Amino acid sequence: MDTLSYKTKSANKATVQKEWFVVDATDQVVGRLSSQIAKIIRGKHKSSFTPHVDCGDRVIVINAEKAKFTGKKMSDKQYLRHTGYPGGQRFETPESLLVKAPARIIEHAVKGMLPKTILGRQCMKNLFVYAGPVHNQEAQQPKELKF
């Protein structure tokens, strides 16, 4: 019996093949879209997935301002942050954040679905979110993804 045929192959930084994908967020629900993006960024859709390696693909999200929330989340949901000073707790709703930085809504949702480790921070570098339909990664010839 050949024992080498049963050897488990583990991906590493040198053997990972990264692809580029573009996702249109127009009329997509933020949570459902973010979970699909997190899966692709993490690499869980690949057969060569290795838990301790960043083997995910790069994702470009366009039209982030056109993503939507279900129910009353647009006005009732609150994002919490702290300035670092005493009494510096700040709350923000998706409505107000959509005016200031619409890309941050999707970034925040995807970040919450990734591991809270060094690997999760590396995976976040594979996400590029743009408020409008134009992005800077045309040279990478991204494939379009539909969910």
Side-chain angles (χ1 to χ4, degrees), residues 109-135:
V110 172
K111 185 177 181 179
M113 296 176 187
L114 292 174
K116 280 55 170 184
T117 59
I118 296 168
L119 181 62
R121 290 189 290 275
Q122 284 176 349
C123 290
M124 273 305 287
K125 292 179 182 175
N126 294 331
L127 178 65
F128 303 89
V129 184
Y130 296 97
V134 180
H135 61 85

Side-chain angles (χ1 to χ4, degrees), residues 77-83 88-93 108:
K77 183 177 178 69
Q78 289 187 334
Y79 294 114
L80 173 71
R81 67 182 178 88
H82 199 281
T83 62
Q89 199 172 30
R90 303 288 184 258
F91 299 96
E92 201 160 26
T93 62
H108 187 273

Side-chain angles (χ1 to χ4, degrees), residues 3-135:
T3 57
L4 291 178
S5 65
Y6 296 105
K7 188 173 182 180
T8 302
K9 293 187 179 175
S10 182
N12 61 27
K13 201 172 191 177
T15 61
V16 170
Q17 299 288 324
K18 289 188 176 268
E19 294 183 53
W20 286 82
F21 294 104
V22 64
V23 176
D24 190 2
T26 305
D27 295 330
Q28 297 279 338
V29 177
V30 172
R32 294 174 189 271
L33 176 68
S34 298
S35 65
Q36 295 291 329
I37 292 170
K39 185 174 76 171
I40 292 168
I41 286 175
R42 183 81 168 88
K44 289 197 165 196
H45 66 291
K46 293 184 176 183
S47 61
S48 62
F49 172 70
T50 308
H52 64 279
V53 178
D54 178 16
C55 54
D57 294 324
R58 293 180 175 97
V59 177
I60 305 159
V61 181
I62 56 174
N63 293 320
E65 78 240 347
K66 296 179 183 173
K68 62 181 182 177
F69 286 95
T70 58
K72 296 193 297 181
K73 291 187 195 89
M74 192 62 97
S75 58
D76 291 353
K77 183 177 178 69
Q78 289 187 334
Y79 294 114
L80 173 71
R81 67 182 178 88
H82 199 281
T83 62
Y85 290 97
Q89 199 172 30
R90 303 288 184 258
F91 299 96
E92 201 160 26
T93 62
E95 277 179 326
S96 63
L97 197 59
L98 197 62
V99 174
K100 286 194 263 183
R104 238 189 299 162
I105 291 174
I106 296 195
E107 288 173 356
H108 187 273
V110 172
K111 185 177 181 179
M113 296 176 187
L114 292 174
K116 280 55 170 184
T117 59
I118 296 168
L119 181 62
R121 290 189 290 275
Q122 284 176 349
C123 290
M124 273 305 287
K125 292 179 182 175
N126 294 331
L127 178 65
F128 303 89
V129 184
Y130 296 97
V134 180
H135 61 85

